[in-house]
Amino acid sequence: MSDGAAEFVDPAPRARTVTRGRRVRLGDAGIDGRLRLDALARYLQDVASDDSRDAGFEGTGGVWVVRRTVLQVDVRPHLDDEVALTTFLG
């Protein structure tokens, strides 16, 4: 992808996935009431940590660290909206 465009892929049919929900709270919303992108990145980091724990990596020194994130945002969630986040491997 030399033009810098991201390629979004669906999980493989047998991929292990972890899905968690988060409600947009006051501290995660901007003055306009929409979810801040830094809060969304933190949500993703939390789900990745849950994924690592669910996979049995807790206490082994292995952790997921979100270093680069590419987002395709069609509609930004608002205050009190429920957001579903999924990580997958495979």
Side-chain angles (χ1 to χ4, degrees):
M1 281 182 254
S2 59
D3 65 358
E7 178 183 355
F8 294 94
V9 298
D10 292 323
R14 298 182 69 184
R16 189 176 67 79
T17 63
V18 174
T19 300
R20 299 286 188 268
R22 298 284 188 271
R23 183 165 305 281
V24 178
R25 303 291 186 192
L26 186 59
D28 298 324
I31 196 166
D32 60 359
R34 294 185 304 170
L35 178 63
R36 294 188 335 268
L37 296 180
D38 65 302
L40 177 57
R42 184 174 44 79
Y43 290 178
L44 290 168
Q45 180 67 64
D46 291 347
V47 175
S49 294
D50 291 348
D51 187 359
S52 182
R53 185 176 43 258
D54 290 350
F57 295 126
E58 188 172 37
T60 65
V63 295
W64 288 100
V65 176
V66 177
R67 293 188 182 267
R68 180 172 181 260
T69 303
V70 178
L71 303 171
Q72 177 180 330
V73 180
D74 296 321
V75 177
R76 282 191 34 212
H78 285 81
L79 187 62
D80 289 326
D81 285 349
E82 183 76 17
V83 179
L85 305 119
T86 301
T87 63
F88 66 91
L89 177 64

